[in-house]
Structures are given as structure tokens and as C-alpha cells.
Amino acid sequence: MRSSFKPLALAGLLALCSAAQAGDKVWISLGDAALAQLQKVTAVTPGASATPTAALAGASASTAGRRAESIHLVQVDEAALLQLSAAVHQELKRCGGFMFHASQAEGLASLQRHAGTAKLAAVAALTRPSYVIDQQAVVTPLLNQMQASNIGQTITDLSAYVNRYYQTAGGVNSSDWLKQRWTTLAAGRADITVEQFTHASWKQKSVIATIKGTDNASEVVVLGAHLDSINQAGTTEATRAPGADDDASGVASITEVLRTMVAGGYKPRRTIKFMAYAAEEVGLRGSQEIATSYANAGVNVVGVMQLDMTNYKGSVNDIYIYTDYTDSAQNTFVTNLIQTYLPTLKVGTDKCGYGCSDHASWTAKGYYASLPFEAAFNQDNPYIHTANDTFANSGNQADHSLKFARLALAYAVELGSDGAGGGGVPDKTETFTGSLTLNQTRSFGPFKAGVGSFKASTTGTGDIDLYARRTTVPTTTTYDCKSDGATSAESCSINLTANGDVYVLLKGYKAGSYSLTVTYRPQ
Ligand code: BES
Ligand code: ZN
């Protein structure tokens, strides 16, 4: 169970998970155990229920060796959520366990997905991306540029706000500060925009930075963390809630990814979005609104990585991949990324047992999400949700966070560098036509080719020979590949292990006309 749980701090726990205002009715879904607690504190009968199918059980509240819980949709007074939170903490020794829904229809749609009987339009159209790891030439130099000190500075800056609670001035101002910080980092890049996502029901805005993909921009990769903080003992303007680990560490980690990508001039083919969510601590509300709006708009989010708590090393392994409310195929990819790029790190797995962070909002909409976490569940930072969740209590350095920042960069570049149709396929094609007289030569390029196969081929009349070469224009005696058969049907290719310029030369061995096709992976 959560080591930060203190049975006596009940008044504080009331505010911990929901902190709602009385009066309004809201729709929530929750599992059997949480429903039993709710029924103790208020008379509710589920309006609808669903049992997850076997295929979906891994993304439900089930735990190994136990029957999957049913999930129930109920309408309650927002105030009853405070009592539910308290009861869940008191009786089940955990937090969360329920999800907000904007309406009954939205709640029902969510239940149906749990039962495996319905799919969102966005889910039906969802691309399962290639998980081939083939961007070493890009990733490795970027990883070497990443620094713990930058992450530590961002943690220090964010935890300097009295709190970042979703309804306080600190919550609002920290959002404005982060927007400014990301905007400054992105200076000089016309392909990067930084915006705030306004939420109708509370003051704090989420912050979203977008690097627009060069040629596959409709496919989106999301790196997320939550901006807000909470103190379980109170939620006034003056209540100290530094949230250094939970979750300034996650925001700082993805900020270092953004800084490194800009410093390295990295331009993804897919769109990469950095999201700092508002109002996570009060029921994943910010991420839920964002994931809902993306799903409603049919946005093709191909993968989500959530970083929530990255700087407290509480366990023997370095990174724990959480297996519930996440996608197992993407989790395997994430594990492979660690083996490839961070081979000295030790990896474990664990579960929250409930939708404990914003990844669950994306999972609920059918998207593929992962949560690499700082420790085993019962060995996490004991200071979270208190005034003592400070940088000092994570050792005044961000070495642990740096591992997660590096993993997030590798993840975003490996997914972000794929064109339509996945990775590994050379898919920029250019065609040139013309004619050559006897012994006449003509050069083409430079082609800005990325790691992978560069291929040039010709068809035509007469007898035209083909040469290709990295860095400089080839001659008929210096080239990386040539094709000089007795017709104009030629083809040769170069396997590029680093990004670079490639040039092509055609020569009329006999006069003729040609159609030259060049195919390569853009940088
Ligand atoms: N960072 C925590 C989640 C967490 C805590 C994961 C400890 C693993 C170990 C997150 O900010 C949080 O507090 N989540 C709530 C639930 C949410 C639905 C309000 C929680 O776990 O109490
Ligand atoms: Zn928290």
C-alpha cells in the first residue's frame, strides 16, 4: 500500500483525491470494492455496470489471481466524492479508484469499452506503430546531451510555488510560467508551438508544446506529466505543496527532452506533443478532458508515455514499468528501449491497482499508454502529498529523473522518426526525367538522407549509367555504388549508417533519355 498513507490524517485525506465542491451531481465509474465503500457513505444504485472481457482485464482494475472487478456507473453529489475518497483511503488503504465522466453518455461509452463491446471511432482508426528500434544514430548523441542539472533546476523552479493546486494562484501562475519556459526553449523553431489548454470548470490550465511532424504530422506521440500538486492536509492558497517529486520531476524530465531536441535540431516526422496536465491530483481531470477532446476529434495518437514521479529511487531496480491501465505491446517496446539505450539500468514491473495517473485517461479512450515509474508501488516517495515533497527529500539532485528523461527521449525519437506506414521503410521518392548525349554527365542532389537505405534507379532509352556517392558528387571512378549495364535500366543503393547528403550522377554511355527515381528516408 501507499507508504504515504497515514490512517489518522483523515481530514487531509478528504481533500486528497477529489476536493470537489458540494451541490453538483457528477457521473463516476468505479470498481466493486470502491462501490461498496460509496454505498456505505451514500445511498446509490449503479445505473449501469460492465465486467471487463478477458482481453481487457489487464487494463481494468483486476489484479493477478483475482477475478476481474466489475465497473459501475453511478451519479453522485460531488460532495459525496469527498466521503468516498476518505472511505477508500480508510478501508482500502489506497487512493483513486474512480473516474469522472462529463455526462452519463460519456460514462456509458467508457463502460462499454471496458466490457469490450464498443470502440471509439478514434480507436478503430488507431495506428499500431512500428516498434522497430532503428534510430541509434539520432538518439545516442541526443542522450549524451541530457543533463540532470537542468532537470533539477526545473524541479526547483516549480516547487518554489507555494503550491500548484488546480484552484489556487500558484496553480495558475505555475502554468503561465511553464508556458513561458517552454516558449523560450523553443525559440527560433517555427515548427514548435506552445499553448495552454483551458478547462471550463477550474482555473489552472494545462500546457501543451507541439513539435509539428515534417511529413507525417497527423500521427501524434505524447509525452505527459502533471503540473498540479496537492497537500493532503489542506488546499488553501497558503498550504505548502511543493510537489517536487509528484510531479515536478515528471514535468522537468519532459522539459529536458524538449530542450535536448531543440538543441540537437531534431525534427520529427510524426508530431510530438509535450503535455503538462492540470488537475491530476483531483481525479485525472485535466488529462481526461484532453484525451476526450482528442478522441472526439479522432486524433491519431500513436503512443503516450506518462512520467509521474521520477526522482526518488526507493527500490532496487531503476525503472518500474507499470502493467495496469497501460498497453502491454507498448510496454514491451519501452522495455526494449531501456535495454538498447540504457543497458546498465535494472528494470522491474509493478501495478498501481487503480488508475493512478494520467496514462489512465488515455487508456480509457483506447490509446496506447505506458507509465515508467520511480519505484515499486509500495516503495515510492513517502513524502508525496505533503509539505515535505521537496527537492531536498529527493537528494537535491536529479540523477534518477535523468534516466526517465532519457527513456522518454528515446521513446519519442523512435516513434517520432517514422513516416506513414511505420518505420524502416524508405519513403521519400523524387523523380527526374531528361536526356543525355554521348558522354554527357548530369548530377543530382544533395539528397538529405536519413539513416537507412538510399536507392537510385533509372529506366529509359539508349544506355545511361548511374553512380551515387555520400557527401560529394560522384565521378565515374569514385562512387559508393554504381550500375553500368548495357541499357538504361540501372539501380544501385547505399546503406546509410548516419544522416548525410547523397549525390547521384548519370552519364550517357550512349545517347538516350532517362527517368531517374531516388528513394530514401528523410532526415
Ligand atoms: N503520482 C501519484 C500516483 C502514484 C502515487 C503512483 C504513488 C504510484 C505510487 C498521483 O499524482 C496521485 O496521487 N494519484 C492519485 C489518484 C488520482 C486518481 C487522484 C493517488 O494515487 O492517490
Ligand atoms: Zn499525486
Side-chain angles (χ1 to χ4, degrees), residues 489-508:
E490 308 290 357
S491 175
C492 84
S493 53
I494 303 171
N495 189 28
L496 293 171
T497 54
N499 291 353
D501 290 350
V502 181
Y503 295 84
V504 170
L505 182 84
L506 296 183
K507 180 185 176 188

Side-chain angles (χ1 to χ4, degrees), residues 2 16 226 230 246-247 280-281 308-309 356 384-385:
R2 286 271 300 286
L16 176 55
H226 70 87
I230 196 167
D246 187 10
D247 180 27
E280 186 269 355
E281 298 286 11
D308 184 359
M309 299 169 64
C356 63
I384 67 164
H385 303 173

Side-chain angles (χ1 to χ4, degrees), residues 188-475:
R189 285 277 299 255
D191 58 330
I192 306 182
T193 52
V194 184
E195 294 156 318
Q196 283 169 314
F197 188 107
T198 303
H199 303 280
S201 306
W202 64 87
K203 289 197 273 189
Q204 185 182 49
K205 295 171 182 167
S206 299
V207 184
I208 302 177
T210 304
I211 311 182
K212 189 168 190 281
T214 52
D215 67 316
N216 191 19
S218 69
E219 296 185 4
V220 178
V221 180
V222 172
L223 298 183
H226 70 87
L227 176 63
D228 64 320
S229 71
I230 196 167
N231 185 326
Q232 66 196 41
T235 58
T236 71
E237 286 286 340
T239 311
R240 186 78 180 109
D245 193 35
D246 187 10
D247 180 27
S249 69
V251 174
S253 301
I254 65 173
T255 299
E256 180 62 358
V257 174
L258 175 61
R259 187 200 68 78
T260 306
M261 285 180 174
V262 174
Y266 174 64
K267 297 206 170 147
R269 301 181 66 185
R270 288 187 171 125
T271 294
I272 300 178
K273 284 181 179 277
F274 301 78
M275 298 194 177
Y277 307 108
E280 186 269 355
E281 298 286 11
V282 291
L284 320 180
R285 294 199 211 176
S287 59
Q288 212 181 134
E289 286 197 4
I290 293 172
T292 298
S293 87
Y294 278 52
N296 290 346
V299 179
N300 195 354
V301 176
V302 299
V304 175
M305 176 176 279
Q306 171 77 358
L307 295 185
D308 184 359
M309 299 169 64
T310 63
N311 204 30
Y312 180 89
K313 188 173 187 302
S315 300
V316 53
N317 295 313
D318 296 285
I319 296 179
Y320 285 78
I321 305 297
Y322 275 48
T323 57
D324 59 346
Y325 297 85
T326 57
D327 180 72
S328 79
Q330 183 177 271
N331 287 343
T332 300
F333 169 55
V334 171
T335 306
N336 290 337
L337 287 172
I338 300 171
Q339 272 159 14
T340 303
Y341 289 114
L342 305 165
T344 61
L345 300 189
K346 288 191 279 195
V347 186
T349 59
D350 209 344
K351 294 177 178 180
C352 277
Y354 57 98
C356 63
S357 189
D358 301 302
H359 59 289
S361 298
W362 294 100
T363 298
K365 290 293 172 189
Y367 293 113
Y368 311 127
S370 294
L371 175 70
F373 191 76
E374 66 185 11
F377 184 67
N378 61 6
Q379 294 177 324
D380 69 302
N381 189 331
Y383 303 108
I384 67 164
H385 303 173
T386 74
N388 294 322
D389 181 7
T390 58
F391 191 43
N393 278 331
S394 295
N396 265 321
Q397 39 80 26
D399 293 355
H400 202 47
S401 285
L402 180 60
K403 302 165 192 171
F404 293 82
R406 286 188 162 137
L407 174 59
L409 181 134
Y411 170 83
V413 172
E414 285 289 352
L415 284 185
S417 298
D418 287 341
V425 186
D427 50 10
K428 182 161 183 177
T429 296
E430 294 176 59
T431 305
F432 309 86
T433 53
S435 54
L436 293 170
T437 55
L438 175 66
N439 287 334
Q440 187 185 9
T441 59
R442 185 165 298 143
S443 67
F444 304 84
F447 301 98
K448 301 280 180 193
V451 173
S453 172
F454 176 98
K455 185 179 171 202
S457 58
T458 51
T459 55
T461 61
D463 181 1
I464 288 172
D465 293 339
L466 166 69
Y467 306 83
R469 188 182 181 194
R470 283 166 296 183
T471 315
T472 49
V473 178
T475 69

